[in-house]
Amino acid sequence: GKAELRLTPEELGPLRLVVEGSDNGLRLVIEAAKPETADLLRRHVEALRQELRQEGLGSVGVSIGGGEAHRDGGAPTSWDRS
């Protein structure tokens, strides 16, 4: 299954989250409108993965887009499945 959330926290700016589950595990894509928010998320992506694993979600792939890559039309960065 797949779920999409759009959040607009004042201090972080607009965020789009897509969560997709499969037999291979969970995939989370986060897109941030503000470059500084995308950079903040990238710096803390491993802590997010650990939290999700501790909640029993198993293999989790996280992709963070936005900031410079998003504005230039590039693909989301920081993809990893562990």
Side-chain angles (χ1 to χ4, degrees):
K2 183 176 177 179
E4 181 176 325
L5 299 166
R6 292 182 185 267
L7 306 172
T8 53
E10 186 175 322
E11 57 281 347
L12 298 176
L15 296 169
R16 178 178 171 258
L17 293 87
V18 178
V19 182
E20 189 170 9
S22 71
D23 293 339
N24 297 326
L26 183 73
R27 178 175 177 224
L28 173 62
V29 177
I30 305 171
E31 293 181 5
K34 290 181 165 182
E36 57 271 22
T37 299
D39 292 341
L40 176 69
L41 291 167
R42 287 183 190 106
R43 286 193 304 267
H44 296 283
V45 71
E46 188 54 40
L48 174 60
R49 279 192 204 101
Q50 288 177 1
E51 289 288 331
L52 293 171
R53 280 194 297 266
Q54 288 176 358
E55 292 297 322
L57 296 175
S59 177
V60 179
V62 179
S63 177
I64 298 173
E68 294 301 320
H70 185 68
R71 280 192 300 211
D72 295 341
T77 58
S78 300
W79 171 256
D80 186 15
R81 183 177 294 274
S82 47

